[in-house]
Amino acid sequence: TETLTCKDIATTATGPDSELFYASVSYRCQDLLPPPIQTGFNRKCTADGPTFEYTCYELSEGTQFITFMSEVESAIRNAGMNCTDDKDPFYFYQYTRTEGTFYINSVVSYSENVSVGNLFNDTAGLDKVFATTGTLYSIYKTKPPTAAPTAAPTPAPTPAPTTSSSHNPIAASKNWLTMFVAVSLHYSVMYSLLF
């Protein structure tokens, strides 16, 4: 089993130009107009295994939300959170799960799936327990497959000197074909060992 190592970090930024796109807690309107006030995560955990990398971000238990709540209170005071859908804004507690997988077809490719949701209902006031227990940004990635170790090849006996293949087109094409078949068989064997 791999060990999950966690440490407190500065609160992450969120959004399209940030390391993490999605927030932990948002003060928002249902239709996202005006844009939500968001906070990121202040704790990072990692585990690294032979076939995977796992990283997650969370809010530590003692999070005070001072900057976030200051922004919310300022928006409320300045009528900056008047929802265009005529409903009251609310606090939304979000989790994000990202899974990335490497595939081998004719080439190695990478595919990523992201799902977003919430464990708790929205609240009119900030619920710190919901925020610290119901938010998470989880990233799980498989590592690209590696070739299985193979035994070192036995050196071939040194052949007697022959006419250089660069001067003999038939010998050159046979050498090329032999190399092509040998490399193809090598990759075919490697592929079958992996799957």
Side-chain angles (χ1 to χ4, degrees):
T1 61
E2 306 307 326
T3 303
L4 187 64
T5 306
C6 299
K7 66 179 180 177
D8 291 342
I9 59 171
T11 302
T12 59
T14 57
D17 297 326
S18 303
E19 179 182 0
L20 303 178
F21 185 81
Y22 297 101
S24 60
V25 180
S26 301
Y27 183 68
R28 58 176 275 193
C29 300
Q30 186 63 40
D31 62 2
L32 300 177
L33 291 173
I37 299 168
Q38 302 177 331
T39 190
F41 299 87
N42 61 11
R43 189 165 169 79
K44 180 178 182 178
C45 301
T46 57
D48 194 10
T51 60
F52 71 92
E53 293 174 10
Y54 178 74
T55 304
C56 70
Y57 297 85
E58 59 188 12
L59 290 168
S60 64
E61 265 184 64
T63 302
Q64 296 300 308
F65 301 97
I66 294 169
T67 304
F68 174 64
M69 289 307 297
S70 175
E71 291 175 23
V72 168
E73 290 163 6
S74 176
I76 292 170
R77 261 193 321 275
N78 299 316
M81 284 304 286
N82 294 329
C83 298
T84 58
D85 59 5
D86 295 326
K87 295 188 177 162
D88 292 331
F90 54 88
Y91 290 90
F92 182 72
Y93 312 93
Q94 182 168 295
Y95 70 82
T96 304
R97 187 181 74 194
T98 302
E99 292 180 49
T101 307
F102 284 91
Y103 295 95
I104 296 183
N105 296 326
S106 56
V107 296
V108 175
S109 60
Y110 181 75
S111 173
E112 196 167 81
N113 182 29
V114 178
S115 59
V116 178
N118 61 313
L119 297 175
F120 299 115
N121 292 331
D122 311 329
T123 58
L126 178 65
D127 186 316
K128 289 183 180 180
V129 173
F130 283 12
T132 58
T133 61
T135 61
L136 184 72
Y137 203 116
S138 171
I139 304 165
Y140 179 87
K141 294 181 180 180
T142 60
K143 290 183 178 178
T146 56
T150 57
T154 306
T158 307
T162 60
T163 308
S164 168
S165 61
S166 61
H167 296 101
N168 183 338
I170 295 173
S173 64
K174 284 183 180 177
N175 287 344
W176 181 86
L177 180 61
T178 303
M179 286 302 298
F180 176 79
V181 170
V183 169
S184 296
L185 286 172
H186 176 74
Y187 281 108
S188 176
V189 168
M190 296 304 289
Y191 185 80
S192 67
L193 289 174
L194 291 171
F195 301 100

